[in-house]
Amino acid sequence: MSMSLFDRVAIVGMGCTRFGEHFCLGADDLMIEAAHAALSDAGLQVDQVDAFWLGTQISGWAGVMLAKPLKVQYKPIMRVENFCATGTEAFRSACYAVAAGLCDVAMAVGVEKMKDSGFSGLELPAISAEGTGVDVTAPAAFAMMANAYFHKYGLDPQKGKDVLARIAWKNHRNGAKNPRAQYRKEVPLEAIMKSPLVAAPLGVMDCSGVADGSAAVIVVPAEEAYRYRSDPVFVKAVTSVAGPGAGTLDTEWDQTTIRETVTAARLAYAQAGISDPRRQLSLAEVHDCFTPTEMILMEDLGFSERGRGWQDVVDGVFDLDGELPVNPDGGLKSFGHPIGASGIRMLFEAYLQLRGQAGPRQIPGARTAMTHNLGGLPWECVTAVSILGREPGPI
Amino acid sequence: MSMSLFDRVAIVGMGCTRFGEHFCLGADDLMIEAAHAALSDAGLQVDQVDAFWLGTQISGWAGVMLAKPLKVQYKPIMRVENFCATGTEAFRSACYAVAAGLCDVAMAVGVEKMKDSGFSGLELPAISAEGTGVDVTAPAAFAMMANAYFHKYGLDPQKGKDVLARIAWKNHRNGAKNPRAQYRKEVPLEAIMKSPLVAAPLGVMDCSGVADGSAAVIVVPAEEAYRYRSDPVFVKAVTSVAGPGAGTLDTEWDQTTIRETVTAARLAYAQAGISDPRRQLSLAEVHDCFTPTEMILMEDLGFSERGRGWQDVVDGVFDLDGELPVNPDGGLKSFGHPIGASGIRMLFEAYLQLRGQAGPRQIPGARTAMTHNLGGLPWECVTAVSILGREPGPI
């Protein structure tokens, strides 16, 4: 990619439903709530939006499914889908259109209805290339990463379980402060450690839940952002990287890193001018689909040195009052994972934090935020990363 | 949309498989053939492409499904889906990225494996908003348009059948000249008229077939196009319009027009500077999913006056040697409709024609081409339109 999105696009409105069991609401209802919250936040009517992107994986077909609930009148509406990174990919698309000067106001909406879809999450079969792979469940795929990591760095099983539980404990503690989270209770470490086994070493409490939800974001050219509000949020980078299948193409891969994440983060830092993410970021929302994912991401995103991520977790570096808060909103762990919505839900927390609107979760003086959204499995996935800033100009 | 794509992007390579029954090939194989044909045509290697868009509706999930067959190494790959307009939407996405200056070389690949999917085409249930619509098959939906049109303009049933058959006859006649078409035989008018009834007045020969296929397109900034080849093709416009559901929101709608198409074409003509499409276009590839669709499109696209489309069809205006050839490659009628691939297959014919490479189908002196790609049903759809030119500058 030859050029960067740095300071070319800004967010001027966002909305997010509560995530959870919405048995009485359809995807339509959830999109209406999120999109109108974003419009209201930006002070816009739907007919002032020039183009739309809809991110959903399993809740319907085609952008046209957004037309009727929002009463969109003959505008471009495109559906995008990239596994669990779908939400951020819808946002990336909207940013591209604005950056190209092809629209003045673009909206990305992410939505998923999971709870009555028969999609349990735990039973999700892994994706394998036709004829070349073995099907595993998602928890098993990420459990293998945990075991590989513990083996490589000499953590015994009990110590490993302690580290993973610390991540779930932190995220539920943060989520307890968030009115939009699905689960809003702190969970004692003891209960996490003793949760029923799903795929060793992961228990139920190491897995994110299944939820319904929707989130929406409105972007405009950065130079016009202050016309919409006094406190817009500036896009410093959006990158996306799809993998070639480390598991089959790379015999050196030892399951303790997600290469797509390493590359997407590196490109995003370059676009945003970040050399020391641990110090330069005020917060990060990362894809904690399972607790070992978050542990390994701390290293892949450059927050911890290789082999040190687990120790930083235990030391509280990523706690809400730590050196670099990670998943201050509670993460997938507290929100559950309505696939198309999660990436934009992450952006929503960044948007609140950077504008000082995160209430009891507010990180004092937050200036720069990262979101990290992963779709697929450790050995072949999409990683979409964004970096947002409170102000225009260098980070 | 505030700005236009006019002369900002150019096509420098394309590939297209034969469409048809490829029981021995997977979506992977088809994508490899189309993408490598496009790369070879542009004189590029896959690692020189900065970003990819994959259009598929039912043949898989996520852009990552393109990574392994093409051996893409850590690049952005996004899947888009917008019903039967999916292919053109992938192309639109690639054009936006290039226009934004976010990549130097972008590729869009469309693919669908239909023949062993259990997707018969004729049995496709129509899409209805939850709880508000009635399910009908796609042939029935477009048959209703035919009947409404015949009633409005006073064509008796026999005359109506004659007009529709003339369209199928023309498209098969064109397809017989095309080595990539699924059906490469002329079909006598008599046989078309007598084909078994599917949804009155449509017989089997009024319906496009089901096929497997893939097509790929490579775009670059227009100002760099001549670095890649001496005969690039310039993008004059790409528009996309999603409908609000004319059937439920607009009581004036009489089923003889597709409003999304009217709007998308009007916007595209404005971008491209076209005031008289019938004279200024050298050819048009349109979405002839059923014969009445093509008949009505002739009016919606401004090629015929209202109520005159059927007469222009009968008069041969849209024949290969007519005033404005429509579907010179044989259309969906001859190719079948592998959903994600069709829009890019249309672009492929435009690309060949504008470069004088269409062999026995060549339209002498072709300078400007339109593609029209429809996804959904007459009362709620997506229409994606492109206009391409042989040279930079005004049409």
Side-chain angles (χ1 to χ4, degrees):
Chain A
M1 309 291 267
S2 57
M3 280 179 59
S4 137
L5 278 168
F6 188 84
D7 274 355
R8 295 172 67 186
V9 178
I11 299 174
V12 295
M14 290 200 74
C16 185
T17 68
R18 188 183 167 191
F19 283 22
E21 296 184 343
H22 293 302
F23 288 115
C24 297
L25 301 177
D28 296 28
D29 305 294
L30 294 167
M31 291 189 291
I32 287 169
E33 182 183 332
H36 280 281
L39 288 164
S40 170
D41 181 43
L44 291 169
Q45 303 293 318
V46 70
D47 61 6
Q48 295 175 279
V49 180
D50 297 314
F52 300 79
W53 278 264
L54 168 65
T56 189
Q57 185 176 34
I58 60 163
S59 297
W61 299 100
V64 76
M65 75 177 264
L66 192 62
K68 203 175 292 184
L70 291 193
K71 296 189 170 63
V72 175
Q73 300 285 323
Y74 304 111
K75 297 282 179 72
I77 315 178
M78 195 187 304
R79 175 191 169 211
V80 306
E81 183 278 319
N82 246 359
F83 289 148
C84 300
T86 293
T88 307
E89 291 291 77
F91 172 67
R92 178 162 72 97
S93 300
C95 289
Y96 278 30
V98 168
L102 290 161
C103 52
D104 292 322
V105 182
M107 176 184 274
V109 180
V111 70
E112 218 77 61
K113 272 292 293 181
M114 308 289 291
K115 294 300 290 190
D116 43 11
S117 67
F119 195 110
S120 79
L122 295 183
E123 287 158 18
L124 171 66
I127 303 87
S128 59
E130 284 168 50
T132 61
V134 176
D135 280 356
V136 298
T137 63
F142 288 92
M144 288 194 280
M145 292 199 88
N147 290 324
Y149 183 94
F150 297 153
H151 177 73
K152 181 170 180 176
Y153 298 114
L155 278 69
D156 67 35
Q158 185 57 44
K159 184 67 193 171
K161 284 282 278 183
D162 285 349
V163 174
L164 300 182
R166 185 65 169 66
I167 291 169
W169 173 83
K170 166 185 70 82
N171 288 352
H172 279 298
R173 196 166 171 231
N174 294 348
K177 298 181 167 60
N178 196 329
R180 287 182 175 80
Q182 177 173 26
Y183 307 116
R184 293 181 292 186
K185 281 187 184 162
E186 299 197 18
V187 183
L189 272 170
E190 180 85 348
I192 295 168
M193 302 283 286
K194 287 188 173 165
S195 71
L197 199 66
V198 172
L202 308 187
V204 165
M205 290 302 294
D206 290 292
C207 307
S208 59
V210 172
D212 307 322
S214 181
V217 55
I218 296 172
V219 289
V220 303
E223 65 271 22
E224 293 173 24
Y226 289 113
R227 286 183 40 211
Y228 294 89
R229 67 185 312 136
S230 61
D231 55 355
V233 164
F234 293 85
V235 176
K236 304 297 179 180
V238 185
T239 60
S240 178
V241 166
T248 50
L249 294 180
D250 183 349
T251 55
E252 302 293 304
W253 185 65
D254 68 359
Q255 303 202 43
T256 64
T257 178
I258 298 172
R259 298 219 160 139
E260 292 82 351
T261 288
V262 173
T263 305
R266 185 171 47 74
L267 293 170
Y269 295 148
Q271 279 191 24
I274 287 177
S275 54
D276 183 350
R278 181 154 160 174
R279 287 178 194 283
Q280 289 177 281
L281 293 173
S282 311
L283 65 126
E285 286 284 317
V286 309
H287 199 92
D288 59 321
C289 48
F290 301 96
T291 51
T293 321
E294 181 166 323
M295 177 181 68
I296 282 174
L297 288 174
M298 299 303 95
E299 301 180 10
D300 282 346
L301 297 173
F303 302 163
S304 297
E305 287 173 35
R306 287 283 163 204
R308 284 280 308 175
W310 71 270
Q311 185 67 56
D312 288 342
V313 165
V314 172
D315 291 347
V317 170
F318 309 115
D319 291 359
L320 193 53
D321 58 357
E323 189 181 337
L324 172 53
V326 169
N327 289 329
D329 69 351
L332 295 166
K333 195 74 200 72
S334 300
F335 270 82
H337 183 24
I339 301 173
S342 288
I344 302 180
R345 183 268 302 160
M346 296 173 182
L347 292 165
F348 183 70
E349 178 70 1
Y351 175 76
L352 293 179
Q353 290 281 356
L354 294 176
R355 293 168 46 258
Q357 301 290 314
R361 307 182 311 284
Q362 184 62 45
I363 297 159
R367 289 180 49 86
T368 309
M370 166 184 237
T371 71
H372 163 278
N373 196 191
L374 182 77
L377 292 164
W379 50 85
E380 183 165 81
C381 65
V382 177
T383 295
V385 164
S386 83
I387 297 176
L388 305 177
R390 194 172 64 187
E391 284 148 25
I395 286 169
Chain B
M1 311 292 266
S2 56
M3 281 180 59
S4 138
L5 278 168
F6 188 83
D7 275 354
R8 296 172 68 187
V9 178
I11 299 174
V12 295
M14 290 200 73
C16 185
T17 68
R18 188 182 167 191
F19 282 24
E21 294 184 343
H22 293 302
F23 288 115
C24 297
L25 301 177
D28 296 29
D29 304 293
L30 294 166
M31 290 190 292
I32 287 170
E33 183 183 332
H36 280 281
L39 288 164
S40 170
D41 180 44
L44 292 168
Q45 304 293 318
V46 70
D47 60 6
Q48 294 174 280
V49 180
D50 298 314
F52 300 79
W53 279 263
L54 168 66
T56 190
Q57 186 177 32
I58 60 164
S59 297
W61 298 100
V64 76
M65 76 179 263
L66 192 62
K68 205 174 291 183
L70 292 192
K71 297 188 170 64
V72 175
Q73 300 285 323
Y74 305 111
K75 297 281 179 72
I77 314 179
M78 194 187 305
R79 175 190 169 213
V80 306
E81 184 277 320
N82 246 359
F83 288 148
C84 300
T86 293
T88 306
E89 292 291 77
F91 172 67
R92 178 162 72 98
S93 301
C95 289
Y96 278 30
V98 167
L102 289 160
C103 52
D104 292 321
V105 182
M107 176 184 274
V109 180
V111 69
E112 219 76 61
K113 273 293 293 180
M114 308 290 290
K115 294 299 292 190
D116 44 10
S117 68
F119 195 110
S120 80
L122 296 181
E123 289 159 16
L124 171 67
I127 304 87
S128 59
E130 283 166 51
T132 62
V134 177
D135 281 355
V136 297
T137 64
F142 288 91
M144 288 194 279
M145 292 199 88
N147 290 324
Y149 183 95
F150 297 153
H151 177 74
K152 182 170 181 177
Y153 297 115
L155 278 70
D156 68 34
Q158 185 57 44
K159 183 67 192 169
K161 283 284 279 184
D162 284 349
V163 174
L164 300 183
R166 186 63 169 67
I167 291 169
W169 173 83
K170 167 186 68 83
N171 287 353
H172 280 299
R173 196 166 171 232
N174 294 348
K177 297 181 169 57
N178 196 329
R180 287 182 175 81
Q182 178 172 27
Y183 307 116
R184 292 181 293 185
K185 282 186 184 163
E186 299 197 18
V187 183
L189 272 170
E190 180 84 348
I192 296 167
M193 302 283 286
K194 288 187 172 167
S195 71
L197 200 65
V198 173
L202 308 188
V204 165
M205 290 301 294
D206 290 293
C207 306
S208 58
V210 172
D212 307 322
S214 181
V217 54
I218 297 172
V219 289
V220 303
E223 65 272 21
E224 293 174 24
Y226 289 114
R227 286 182 41 210
Y228 293 89
R229 65 186 312 135
S230 61
D231 55 354
V233 164
F234 293 85
V235 176
K236 305 296 180 180
V238 185
T239 60
S240 178
V241 165
T248 49
L249 293 181
D250 182 349
T251 55
E252 302 293 306
W253 184 66
D254 68 1
Q255 302 202 43
T256 65
T257 179
I258 298 171
R259 298 221 160 137
E260 292 82 353
T261 287
V262 173
T263 306
R266 184 171 48 74
L267 293 170
Y269 295 148
Q271 280 190 23
I274 287 178
S275 54
D276 183 349
R278 181 154 160 175
R279 289 178 193 283
Q280 290 177 279
L281 292 174
S282 311
L283 65 128
E285 286 284 315
V286 309
H287 199 93
D288 60 321
C289 49
F290 301 96
T291 51
T293 321
E294 181 166 323
M295 177 181 68
I296 282 173
L297 289 174
M298 298 304 94
E299 302 181 10
D300 282 346
L301 297 173
F303 302 164
S304 298
E305 287 173 33
R306 287 283 163 205
R308 284 280 307 175
W310 70 270
Q311 184 68 57
D312 289 341
V313 165
V314 171
D315 291 347
V317 170
F318 309 115
D319 290 359
L320 193 53
D321 58 358
E323 189 181 336
L324 172 54
V326 169
N327 289 329
D329 69 351
L332 296 167
K333 195 73 200 74
S334 300
F335 270 81
H337 184 25
I339 301 173
S342 289
I344 301 180
R345 184 268 303 160
M346 297 174 181
L347 292 165
F348 183 70
E349 178 70 2
Y351 175 75
L352 293 179
Q353 290 281 357
L354 295 176
R355 294 167 47 256
Q357 302 289 314
R361 306 182 312 283
Q362 183 62 46
I363 297 157
R367 289 179 49 86
T368 309
M370 166 185 237
T371 71
H372 163 277
N373 196 191
L374 182 77
L377 292 164
W379 50 85
E380 183 164 80
C381 65
V382 178
T383 294
V385 163
S386 82
I387 296 176
L388 305 178
R390 195 172 62 188
E391 285 147 24
I395 285 169

